[in-house]
Amino acid sequence: MGQLQLRAEVHGERLLQARELFFEQGDHPDGLVDPLILRSWERCRRFGVGDPHLTDVTSTMDRVALKTEQERNRFLLTQSRPIMEHVFEQIRESGSMVILADANGLLLETVGDPDFVSRADRVSLMAGASWDENLRGTNAIGTALAEESPVTVLGAKHFLQHNGFLTCCASPIYGPDGRLVGVLDISGSYRSLQRHTLGLVRLSSALVEKRLFEAFHARDILVCFHSRPDYLGSPKEGIAAVSPDGRVLAMNSSGTEILGIRQVDAVRRDFSIVFESNLSALIDRLRHSHQGIQELCVNGKLIHVQLRGQLPTPSVHGGRGDERALPPRPARRADASAAPAITLDTLNTGDARLQAAIDRTRRMLGRDIPILIQGESGAGKEIFAKAFHNSGPRRDQPFVALNCASIPETLIESELFGYQGGAFTGARKEGAPGKIQQANGGTLFLDEIGDMPLNLQARLLRVLQERCVTPLGSTKTIQVDIALVCATHRKLREEVARGSFREDLYYRLNGMSVTLPALRERSDIRALVSRLALAEVPDPTLAVRFSEGALKAIEGYAWPGNIRQLHNAIRVAIALLDEGEQLITEQHLPEELFEAPLAAAPAQAAAGGEPMRAAEPLASGSSLDEIGRQAAMRALEAAGGNISSAARQLGISRNTLYRKLGKM
């Protein structure tokens, strides 16, 4: 492409000057190009995307391989196609096309004007081609994925010069669980750029996200909300998926933004904690509302709420009535509740300290002695409590858990002790039993008991002494029969000394104390890994295995998040396996597992290992592609052949490094 043609296709003299400074002189064009574009150019140059003046393009995958990828992304495609068709109707005959790509930048499907499609084919802007930034340089699809934000790449802002005739606007798509699943793009000739295109593609990606969320949670209760009632039903509304028992299963990004909370503060928590209101009471009020909208005050903010999805309807028999027919959701792993109940016997996987705790606790079965479980966060305290319950004579009775740290102080009293109808604003007219009453005959598990407010500690002590509870707003006492198990990561003796925990309650709870070892202290990690993997894939014909390298990496990591972190790592590793693949290797494990060996590398020579070679200077006059290859090889050698460590050292993904090595 000559200078005259380039001048005709760049957008202004500043961009021309920026390209000359960056690509010809190797200088930093501060202030001449968008910071986002400059970051992308720097990434492309650092990792050797290729000579920006070359016109060579990477080939597309064959039809069979593309069909496989489309089937893998069927849920995304199904929900995106109607939006893509609608968007194309708005821009038809404008010399443009609408593109859907997956989370790796692979183009899954396109729809566009025939005259522009033929031009796009020349640069492989077609289904089956990858537009990952590390392959195609700066482009809207790949850069939107790299930046995780909406992007416009106009003309000569593309890294590769032969893409300069394009103007592309792309916006990421996030799935129901908040993970990046794809990107929606509108591409056309840079001469036909419309100011509204980026806004259109952002709105379209938001509509796709909404469809994905509602389709996946079609059989759950959908709590839709916004600070303005006229925004209900729009892409800007917040949506929370809630189970019939009141547990928040998921919340979209608009929802967390409206409430001013994080995903971790909403998901897997009780509806009453997140929305500061009782779900059953809200459903009752909405059934009698003419407009189908109710107001709630959450975190001091007034929101308008509407319910959709799978709502229970009252029947003449007082139970759940007929439910609206809804399409099936995508397949999920079988609910853990269907698995055999875990007991103290099944908890034992060979660690001596854990076995000692199990043996001590087993002696308390059937006795009216409170159990206090101590240990780091994520060490398995609630699982241990459930195993204790399932091993004793109360196994057929309720096991009721309450996390004292996760419930606002204003709500914990009603959650624990229950309330009488009309006890406070928003209370159900028939009242509600508290956790203590719900656990009658079974086991009450109070997690993070060290975070219970002082004023409630006195009430709890009285319940434990008198074996009766008085709901809020009532003078009537209710007899209860409960086994009590508490857990904390705090040292309660120190809390007593500080005055933040009652000494009399401490001695009442500490009937028998056990401390669970941290995961890094356990000797049974391999057996635990096998058990957690089996729980994720119970079918023996599909059982996954771990390579020796993967097991050593797991054993060598400190696991600050303990069993909870290990479980998440195993779930992610299984999800990363390709169809039919059953061996988990280092490349499937989280990258943080390999940070310690890298940090310890300089000390390896002192320990008798082979010292790491000093980096040799890059050959002068090398092309950017060759520099990228050399950098990849150096990193791989320094990491001892470990792909994950080398990719982390380079600041790129494992898949990108595989592709670079594949070019060699």
Side-chain angles (χ1 to χ4, degrees):
M1 187 181 293
Q3 282 296 317
L4 291 178
Q5 188 178 358
L6 178 62
R7 285 178 183 274
E9 296 197 0
V10 297
H11 216 64
E13 290 295 328
R14 291 168 64 85
L15 185 53
L16 259 179
Q17 186 181 355
R19 286 193 71 92
E20 183 175 349
L21 283 171
F22 187 86
F23 293 106
E24 306 299 334
Q25 302 177 25
D27 290 338
H28 208 267
D30 289 323
L32 295 175
V33 68
D34 301 338
L36 182 147
I37 298 296
L38 184 55
R39 284 198 304 271
S40 176
W41 284 1
E42 290 173 337
R43 283 195 299 268
C44 297
R45 183 165 68 179
R46 187 182 313 127
F47 301 121
V49 170
D51 189 335
H53 300 289
L54 296 180
T55 58
D56 181 43
V57 296
T58 308
S59 61
T60 60
M61 61 174 53
D62 59 45
R63 290 185 178 182
V64 175
L66 174 60
K67 199 72 176 175
T68 300
E69 293 303 317
Q70 289 174 332
E71 182 63 25
R72 182 176 298 174
N73 290 275
R74 181 172 56 177
F75 184 49
L76 174 62
L77 275 165
T78 301
Q79 300 305 322
S80 301
R81 278 176 178 140
I83 304 299
M84 294 176 66
E85 294 287 349
H86 179 73
V87 172
F88 179 61
E89 287 300 320
Q90 313 309 309
I91 63 173
R92 185 185 292 275
E93 298 181 358
S94 65
S96 303
M97 64 192 302
V98 184
I99 302 168
L100 178 70
D102 70 6
N104 295 314
L106 174 70
L107 274 56
L108 297 171
E109 194 161 290
T110 67
V111 55
D113 292 326
D115 57 337
F116 178 75
V117 170
S118 63
R119 295 186 67 192
D121 287 349
R122 299 173 197 166
V123 291
S124 294
L125 192 62
M126 62 178 72
S130 173
W131 278 70
D132 186 322
E133 188 183 71
N134 290 293
L135 288 177
R136 305 279 177 170
T138 305
N139 71 89
I141 292 171
T143 304
L145 290 171
E147 294 281 340
E148 296 190 7
S149 67
V151 170
T152 296
V153 180
L154 169 63
K157 291 182 180 179
H158 287 84
F159 185 86
L160 299 180
Q161 191 166 305
H162 70 270
N163 290 332
F165 74 95
L166 295 169
T167 281
C168 310
C169 298
S171 182
I173 299 170
Y174 293 91
D177 59 356
R179 289 187 296 178
L180 188 62
V181 296
V183 62
L184 194 67
D185 171 271
I186 298 177
S187 290
S189 170
Y190 85 97
R191 298 179 184 277
S192 60
L193 173 67
Q194 301 293 324
R195 291 183 178 274
H196 65 262
T197 304
L198 182 61
L200 177 60
V201 79
R202 292 181 66 174
L203 175 63
S204 302
S205 67
L207 288 171
V208 173
E209 290 177 358
K210 181 176 170 64
R211 286 175 59 89
L212 289 171
F213 193 98
E214 292 176 340
F216 189 83
H217 292 288
R219 295 196 175 277
D220 301 317
I221 300 170
L222 297 181
V223 180
C224 308
F225 55 95
H226 199 278
S227 57
R228 293 174 53 178
D230 50 319
Y231 272 53
L232 290 172
S234 76
K236 290 290 186 181
E237 72 176 351
I239 310 178
V242 184
S243 65
D245 62 357
R247 184 165 56 95
V248 177
L249 304 172
M251 184 178 292
N252 68 355
S253 57
S254 295
T256 56
E257 184 178 344
I258 292 169
L259 298 183
I261 60 177
R262 303 170 300 167
Q263 281 280 344
V264 70
D265 298 323
V267 178
R268 296 184 181 178
R269 307 233 172 185
D270 194 86
F271 179 87
S272 62
I273 298 172
V274 178
F275 288 90
E276 300 179 16
S277 178
N278 185 277
L279 178 62
S280 299
L282 177 63
I283 293 174
D284 290 342
R285 292 200 302 272
L286 284 167
R287 282 202 178 109
H288 297 90
S289 171
H290 295 295
Q291 295 181 330
I293 300 175
Q294 283 288 308
E295 293 181 354
L296 292 180
C297 186
V298 182
N299 294 331
K301 302 176 183 178
L302 183 66
I303 62 171
H304 302 268
V305 181
Q306 197 174 55
L307 297 186
R308 303 183 205 128
Q310 192 73 55
L311 301 182
T313 56
S315 71
V316 294
H317 302 292
R320 289 188 69 168
D322 294 334
E323 297 174 336
R324 286 177 281 166
L326 291 165
R329 71 168 71 207
R332 283 180 175 172
R333 184 175 63 86
D335 192 359
S337 62
I342 192 166
T343 66
L344 291 174
D345 289 330
T346 58
L347 270 185
N348 180 25
T349 48
D351 181 75
R353 287 186 59 186
L354 181 62
Q355 180 61 54
I358 291 172
D359 291 342
R360 293 188 65 200
T361 307
R362 186 181 286 109
R363 295 174 179 268
M364 302 298 112
L365 293 173
R367 301 175 183 270
D368 186 18
I369 298 176
I371 306 296
L372 178 62
I373 307 171
Q374 300 182 90
E376 295 181 5
S377 179
K381 297 187 288 293
E382 182 169 356
I383 293 295
F384 194 91
K386 285 182 179 178
F388 172 78
H389 169 79
N390 292 334
S391 301
R394 297 175 182 262
R395 65 178 67 89
D396 296 326
Q397 300 301 318
F399 174 87
V400 179
L402 177 69
N403 190 312
C404 301
S406 65
I407 301 181
E409 188 171 342
T410 55
L411 291 176
I412 189 172
E413 188 171 17
S414 59
E415 283 288 318
L416 191 58
F417 302 103
Y419 60 87
Q420 188 179 29
F424 53 86
T425 303
R428 297 173 62 181
K429 61 182 180 181
E430 67 272 24
K435 298 294 187 184
I436 296 176
Q437 192 175 346
Q438 292 173 27
N440 186 37
T443 301
L444 176 66
F445 174 60
L446 297 179
D447 198 6
E448 300 301 350
I449 186 69
D451 293 276
M452 176 175 281
L454 267 172
N455 64 312
L456 296 187
Q457 292 178 23
R459 286 200 63 185
L460 177 61
L461 178 63
R462 187 161 59 251
V463 169
L464 299 178
Q465 290 174 340
E466 300 176 2
R467 297 291 172 170
C468 61
V469 62
T470 304
L472 287 176
S474 174
T475 57
K476 180 182 178 182
T477 60
I478 301 171
Q479 290 293 128
V480 289
D481 171 29
I482 58 171
L484 182 66
V485 181
C486 299
T488 181
H489 71 280
R490 300 181 182 274
K491 297 185 182 299
L492 289 188
R493 287 182 181 273
E494 296 177 3
E495 299 300 318
V496 170
R498 292 193 192 99
S500 59
F501 201 85
R502 292 180 61 104
E503 185 175 15
D504 48 3
L505 179 59
Y506 169 70
Y507 288 115
R508 185 68 180 83
L509 298 177
N510 193 21
M512 202 278 291
S513 177
V514 293
T515 300
L516 302 185
L519 183 56
R520 62 183 175 275
E521 300 169 349
R522 291 177 59 164
S523 61
D524 60 342
I525 292 182
R526 294 196 175 206
L528 183 59
V529 166
S530 298
R531 177 164 293 180
L532 292 174
L534 181 61
E536 290 298 313
V537 188
D539 187 343
T541 64
L542 302 175
V544 299
R545 297 175 292 108
F546 290 78
S547 70
E548 183 64 22
L551 289 172
K552 286 183 177 179
I554 291 172
E555 288 178 316
Y557 185 59
W559 297 108
N562 289 295
I563 297 175
R564 185 184 296 119
Q565 184 186 6
L566 173 63
H567 192 190
N568 287 337
I570 290 173
R571 293 183 65 189
V572 171
I574 292 173
L576 289 175
L577 290 172
D578 291 331
E579 187 174 352
E581 191 178 6
Q582 293 178 267
L583 180 65
I584 293 175
T585 64
E586 294 98 317
Q587 68 169 317
H588 300 105
L589 298 177
E591 295 181 354
E592 59 262 27
L593 269 67
F594 305 96
E595 290 176 355
L598 278 177
Q604 189 176 5
E610 182 181 346
M612 183 167 48
R613 289 190 303 173
E616 299 171 4
L618 293 173
S620 60
S622 299
S623 69
L624 294 178
D625 204 29
E626 179 59 28
I627 290 172
R629 292 191 185 100
Q630 292 180 38
M633 280 302 300
R634 302 271 169 74
L636 191 62
E637 290 175 10
N642 187 300
I643 291 288
S644 295
S645 298
R648 183 174 55 258
Q649 182 178 334
L650 290 169
I652 60 179
S653 69
R654 287 193 297 263
N655 289 338
T656 300
L657 182 54
Y658 277 126
R659 285 195 294 268
K660 289 190 178 295
L661 296 174
K663 291 181 182 179
M664 304 165 63

